[in-house]
C-alpha cells in the first residue's frame, strides 16, 4: 500500500532537477528522519507535563532499566550524549530530587549516580504513557508489519552502529 507523503514529493522534485542521481537512499533516510521528528514531537507531551526534557528522561530511564548506579561517563554512553551535557542534566535532576550523586571512596574524580525514590516513581509513572502513545502511533501497521519493520530497522541500526559508531568521537 503506497501513501503519498512529504518525502515522496521531495524525491519527485529532486528527480526533476537531477534525473541522473539515485534518490533511493533519500526515500529511506528521509522517511526515518521525518518519522522520528513527528514521533518525538507528540511523544514528548507526557514528558513536558512532568517537566522533563527527552534527554533528561533518557538519563532517568537508563538508571531505571539498568537497575544500578552508573557513572556520568556510563550515562553518556548509554544515552549517546556528551559528558558536558550529562553533567548539566544531572545537576538539574539532582536539584529536582530525582537523582543522587555520591563520590567514589577510592577516586574522588568519579561520581556514582542513582535514582531517588521520587525519580523511580516518576519514570514508572511516565513509561506506561510513553508505551501507550507508541502503541497508538503504530496502530496503522498490523503485527507482522510491525515485526518486519522492527527487524529491518534493527538490521540497519546494527550496521550503522558498527560502521559509524566509531566515528562519533
Amino acid at each position: 500500500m503506497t501513501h503519498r507523503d512529504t518525502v515522496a514529493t521531495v524525491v519527485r522534485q529532486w528527480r526533476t532537477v537531477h534525473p541522473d542521481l539515485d534518490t533511493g537512499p533519500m526515500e529511506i533516510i528521509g522517511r526515518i528522519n521525518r518519522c522520528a521528528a513527528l514521533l518525538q514531537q507528540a511523544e514528548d507531551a507526557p514528558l513536558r507535563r512532568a517537566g522533563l526534557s527527552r534527554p533528561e528522561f533518557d538519563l532517568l530511564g537508563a538508571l531505571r532499566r539498568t537497575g544500578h548506579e552508573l557513572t556520568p561517563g556510563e550515562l553518556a554512553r548509554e544515552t549517546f550524549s556528551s559528558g558536558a551535557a550529562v553533567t548539566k542534566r544531572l545537576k538539574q535532576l539532582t536539584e529536582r530530587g530525582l537523582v543522587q550523586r555520591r563520590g567514589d571512596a577510592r577516586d574522588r574524580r568519579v561520581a556514582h549516580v542513582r535514582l531517588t525514590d521520587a525519580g523511580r516513581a516518576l519514570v514508572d509513572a511516565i513509561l506506561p504513557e510513553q508505551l501507550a502513545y507508541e502503541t497508538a502511533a503504530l496502530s496503522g501497521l498490523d503485527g507482522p508489519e510491525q515485526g518486519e519493520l522492527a527487524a529491518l530497522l534493527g538490521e540497519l541500526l546494527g550496521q550503522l552502529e558498527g560502521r559509524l559508531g566509531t566515528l562519533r568521537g
Side-chain angles (χ1 to χ4, degrees), residues 59-78:
L59 285 178
L60 296 173
L63 290 166
R64 181 67 174 117
R65 66 185 156 74
T66 61
H68 56 80
E69 293 181 334
L70 295 171
T71 66
E74 290 168 334
L75 281 166
R77 285 188 293 281
E78 283 286 329

Side-chain angles (χ1 to χ4, degrees), residues 94-133:
T94 300
E95 289 169 359
R96 288 188 60 189
L98 300 174
V99 299
Q100 286 181 329
R101 297 172 65 122
R102 70 168 180 84
D104 188 283
R106 291 171 296 189
D107 187 346
R108 290 181 15 192
R109 297 168 298 174
V110 176
H112 298 274
V113 182
R114 73 173 187 86
L115 283 177
T116 62
D117 290 342
R120 183 177 298 103
L122 184 60
V123 171
D124 288 350
I126 291 174
L127 187 58
E129 288 183 61
Q130 293 293 103
L131 292 173
Y133 165 76

Side-chain angles (χ1 to χ4, degrees), residues 5-69:
D5 59 56
T6 55
V7 173
T9 302
V10 169
V11 167
R12 192 173 63 253
Q13 291 167 339
W14 276 120
R15 285 183 181 154
T16 301
V17 175
H18 282 291
D20 53 319
L21 293 180
D22 176 11
T23 55
M26 191 181 292
E27 294 186 55
I28 297 169
I29 304 296
R31 285 187 175 103
I32 289 172
N33 288 338
R34 181 85 173 130
C35 286
L38 290 169
L39 289 168
Q40 197 146 15
Q41 285 172 10
E43 184 178 21
D44 287 348
L47 302 181
R48 282 192 302 274
R49 284 194 298 275
L52 290 173
S53 68
R54 159 62 55 183
E56 288 171 334
F57 182 72
D58 289 345
L59 285 178
L60 296 173
L63 290 166
R64 181 67 174 117
R65 66 185 156 74
T66 61
H68 56 80
E69 293 181 334

Side-chain angles (χ1 to χ4, degrees), residues 1 3 133-146 149:
M1 178 187 303
H3 294 283
Y133 165 76
E134 292 172 5
T135 298
L138 295 173
S139 65
L141 300 174
D142 65 24
E145 289 171 325
Q146 289 183 28
L149 181 58

